[in-house]
Amino acid sequence: MPAPDKFFKYIDDNADTFIKRLAAAVAIPSVSGDGTHRKDVVAMANWLNSELKQLGVDTKLVDLGKHVMDEQELDLPPAILGKLGNDPNKKTVLIYGHYDVQPASKSDGWDTDPFTLVVDEKNGRLIGRGSTDDKGPVLGWLNVIQYHHQNNIPLPVNLICCFEGMEESGSEGLDDLVRKESKKGGYFEGTDCICISDNYWLNTRTPALTYGLRGLAYYKVTVAGPGRDLHSGTFGRTVHEPMTDLISLLGTLVTPQGDILVPGVDDMVPPPDEDEKAIYAGLDYSIADIEGAAGGQIALSSDKVAVLMGRMRYPSLSIHGIEGAFYGAGGKTVIPAKVSGKFSIRLVPPQTPDNINPLVIDHLEKAFAKLGSKNKLNIEAAHGGKPWMADHRHWNYEAAKRATKIVYNQDPDLTREGGSIPVTLTFAEALGVNVLLLPMGRGDDGAHSTNEKIDKSNFIQGSKLLGSYLYELADVSK
Ligand SMILES: C[C@H](N)C(=O)N[C@@H](Cc1c[nH]cn1)C(=O)O
Ligand SMILES: [Zn+2]
Ligand SMILES: [Zn+2]
């Protein structure tokens, strides 16, 4: 049975209430990667837990223990597990999402306060940190549940929820929980399939179903020598400078064309055959889409297939920042005593952090030795995750395809995502069931960036899509 018209109408009629709830979520700065915000991440967990309870979901908060971040021991934010429905005649779907966000501050270049949701009526946009990644999609599920709860209508499937607060910082603690609860008698027992709404369409017009994610290996490389910051007039050309060493090292990692210079990394990936290239050629995507989303005419190639392969099926190496460097206004003439470069590699099969880390460490050590510097080098392999691919011919995808057709009157693009959701593979392996990624937002949403947004239509139609997917799931043959 398809989702009833009443459901679609309810979502439209309650759009303002849903946007208010999104505003309340965005207002909690649940930045997992910054220890000073840990209490906000926990506040966000409590808020989400209470919203779920009010909607009739039977929830519990699970303590994930402690971890060390930036030399500080911190409590991990809890995972929220929830259940709604327990009918043995219905399929059981596990939904996952995250309630933490990337850091954001007005000084990064936001036009408005990142933690105040701005409703831009003129352009139909909801702007704020987490609007598309991943508070909007998580609340999309709540919108669906609210319709059923308020109207006393059972969901067409049994629902198991798993929401975490550390996804943007390596999902620490979650893998163990997922493995434990996937065993016989565990909380996730009986799961037939999984759905994750935490990525984006390729463009701004075509809905997508996603069957692959890149993995991630994140590094912090530190160069230190002087006992404190130095005057460059007094010490310039008299000492080995950490910043000069670090910049030289970072310069050995990747070319401006994106080729990875760490020996063995690019070579690990087999080239595509003609059939695979045809898949990329068939996707609704253009150079204007990537340049529009990037906000500049800066694509590495004018060939759409090459650009798509760079995002979906090749590894990439990005340099993110330098800690300890002078970055303020004015012309401070300092030699920083200790600087840390941060970079990451997005991984594709057969790459994993375990087989990539030794290559990166060996390369950096050799490159540093060549500098002949007396400074000290420290390399930290921080968080990471393996890449993931699913069978997109599975009934889970069929249900999502039908739902997309109903809500958007369009067939979805079948995509592989360039980003990473580390726990996806853990769920797939631990439960042995199919995982579907069902994105809500558009390719130009600016996740992780300044002025992150979700279009109001994506939030509202996306909520209909999630609900409709549950109805199609109930119908589709296993
Ligand atoms: C695709 C997902 N919404 C996402 O943004 N994942 C992050 C995960 C991550 C890892 N380190 C920091 N964040 C990503 O792909 O960067
Ligand atoms: Zn993210
Ligand atoms: Zn996300």
Side-chain angles (χ1 to χ4, degrees), residues 162 262 292 312 314 329 354 364 413 472:
C162 176
V262 178
M312 294 185 181
Y314 285 123
D354 282 350
L364 284 170
D413 269 341
E472 295 306 315

Side-chain angles (χ1 to χ4, degrees), residues 291-315:
E291 293 188 334
Q297 295 183 348
I298 52 168
L300 278 175
S301 164
S302 55
D303 173 13
K304 152 188 156 175
V305 171
V307 169
L308 279 172
M309 290 199 303
R311 168 170 166 165
M312 294 185 181
R313 63 103 55 212
Y314 285 123

Side-chain angles (χ1 to χ4, degrees), residues 7 11 18 21-22 134-146 440 459 462-464 466-467:
F7 165 69
I11 298 290
F18 299 152
R21 181 156 57 205
L22 181 59
D134 182 32
K135 291 178 176 177
V138 165
L139 294 189
W141 292 114
L142 271 69
N143 301 343
V144 174
I145 296 169
Q146 182 173 315
M440 179 180 265
F459 185 48
S463 299
K464 293 180 192 170
L466 298 180

Side-chain angles (χ1 to χ4, degrees), residues 98 102 133 167-168 198 200 216 346 383 419-421 448:
H98 63 95
Q102 285 278 314
D133 183 13
E167 195 270 351
E168 298 291 10
D198 181 24
Y200 326 98
L216 184 78
R346 297 286 173 171
H383 64 273
S420 315
I421 306 174
H448 295 205

Side-chain angles (χ1 to χ4, degrees), residues 258-270 314-316 351 356:
D259 298 319
I260 299 177
L261 297 173
V262 178
V265 173
D266 271 348
D267 308 339
M268 223 184 254
V269 182
Y314 285 123
S316 61
Q351 298 171 328
I356 290 294

Side-chain angles (χ1 to χ4, degrees), residues 72-83:
Q72 214 192 340
E73 190 179 60
L74 297 167
D75 288 330
L76 285 164
I80 305 173
L81 301 186
K83 283 194 181 175

